[in-house]
Amino acid sequence: MTTHPLRHTRDPAHEHRIAQVRQFNRFYTRHIGVLQRGHLDTEFSLGEVRVLYELAHRGTATAAELAADLDLDAGYLSRMLQSFGRKRLVARRRHPNDGRRRVLSLTAAGRATFSTLDRGAMDNVAQLIDHLEPDQRATLVAAMQTIEQLLRPDTQSPPVLPSAGSSSVLRQPEPGDLGWVLHRHGALYAREYGWDWRFEGLVAGVLSTFVANYTPSRERCWIAERDDAIVGSVFIVQESAAVARLRLLYVEPSARGAGVGRALVRECIRFARRVGYQRITLWTNSVLVAARRIYEAEGFELKETGLHDHFGVELTGETWELVL
């Protein structure tokens, strides 16, 4: 875990803000039962429940991935996994592409244990908010979303794109970016595939809906940037409480083959798992070969195909889905 040296300040207002944050932390940790010996009166600690949650929603993961994503000490996680192994909650198998690594997954007993813990957590939160009026619940959830948005690591340190230099990142959109995304979709797909202005109209509708209905805790846009120039984008939007939809993946010709598209898709998958979606769905066309290869490599499965001429040419539309 990263630690920071104490920073002393003589600014009374800043010290007061720090004290208020600490006061809220003390209130909230006591209110949700974090200080109890076992989480929700069970034998499991909060950390153990979180690891089970990640395995339940990811399906599989390596210990290194869990340690990095949850910011857990490797030794602490190792002892936790050994305990899960003794209880037959977690199974290990060789990584399909690297025999030196082990992939973790929940056993049937582990899934049943997590299901019981998950129901208990749902009941616990219900007890916290059931006495509130509907408008009070909305205010509470909005305040929590604001806290998450302000403190979320990905709003502070954008992920670096692979094999493209330190100046290449995935970042949140800035003013003017969505107009650029619309323009480049229209121009590129017309030039490369002969699609007409109706495709640009579709993209405009997707962008308009995203802005109008944007829910920060459940939706995201990432802009891929290299040397201060936009080289790609992708969106993840809420289809339902359990299903997210991946939209508008594109990569500039100058950046293709450098892993930009895969990085964008992986960021969508990582976000969808973190916020609790169960599936990601997407619609594409069979002529978009590079994008289809990325989807297939990341575990998406082709579910449905159908002919259409929505953009002025005969195309085969495809629906793909990933179970998280």
Side-chain angles (χ1 to χ4, degrees), residues 2-7:
T2 303
T3 59
H4 301 278
L6 291 176
R7 297 173 181 174

Side-chain angles (χ1 to χ4, degrees), residues 60-295:
T60 61
T62 65
E65 290 169 342
L66 291 173
D69 291 347
L70 298 180
D71 196 18
L72 289 175
D73 175 77
Y76 172 56
L77 177 61
S78 176
R79 292 189 294 273
M80 190 186 300
L81 293 174
Q82 289 174 8
S83 174
F84 288 158
R86 290 192 295 270
K87 297 173 183 176
R88 301 185 183 278
L89 302 180
V90 171
R92 299 172 184 257
R93 59 180 175 81
R94 290 183 181 275
H95 193 285
N97 299 323
D98 186 349
R100 296 168 300 178
R101 301 167 63 195
R102 295 293 183 270
V103 176
L104 306 168
S105 61
L106 293 183
T107 63
R111 290 191 295 272
T113 297
F114 172 74
S115 179
T116 300
L117 291 166
D118 197 43
R119 285 196 301 269
M122 293 287 289
D123 292 342
N124 187 53
V125 173
Q127 291 175 9
L128 289 177
I129 68 174
D130 279 352
H131 69 283
L132 299 176
E133 296 296 326
D135 60 335
Q136 292 176 316
R137 295 175 194 166
T139 299
L140 175 66
V141 171
M144 289 177 166
Q145 290 174 345
T146 298
I147 292 172
E148 181 182 0
Q149 178 72 3
L150 291 173
L151 298 182
R152 184 187 293 280
D154 62 16
T155 64
Q156 302 170 17
S157 180
V160 177
L161 289 175
S163 305
S166 60
S167 62
S168 301
V169 298
L170 302 185
R171 60 169 175 78
Q172 300 300 297
E174 298 173 353
D177 287 347
L178 299 190
W180 176 258
V181 169
L182 173 61
H183 163 68
R184 294 306 290 161
H185 270 81
L188 283 175
Y189 285 84
R191 186 178 71 200
E192 297 182 351
Y193 301 103
W195 295 4
D196 64 21
W197 55 270
R198 286 174 290 182
F199 175 65
E200 194 169 352
L202 172 71
V203 175
V206 171
L207 293 172
S208 177
T209 300
F210 176 78
V211 172
N213 301 323
Y214 180 51
T215 305
S217 63
R218 306 284 287 171
E219 300 178 316
R220 275 291 188 279
C221 163
W222 288 275
I223 301 295
E225 185 179 83
R226 183 171 64 186
D227 298 326
D228 298 322
I230 295 175
V231 294
S233 70
V234 74
F235 293 71
I236 191 92
V237 299
Q238 180 170 280
E239 185 94 345
S240 69
V243 181
R245 180 170 290 275
L246 188 151
R247 310 209 71 168
L248 302 185
L249 172 68
Y250 105 96
V251 177
E252 289 285 344
S254 62
R256 292 172 187 168
V260 174
R262 178 161 294 184
L264 287 164
V265 171
R266 285 181 173 176
E267 200 65 21
C268 287
I269 295 171
R270 188 177 298 114
F271 173 79
R273 282 176 171 152
R274 186 170 67 234
V275 303
Y277 284 115
Q278 297 174 17
R279 290 181 290 133
I280 301 177
T281 188
L282 64 89
W283 183 79
T284 188
N285 288 275
S286 60
V287 296
L288 305 180
V289 177
R292 294 174 78 259
R293 286 174 180 162
I294 293 173
Y295 302 143

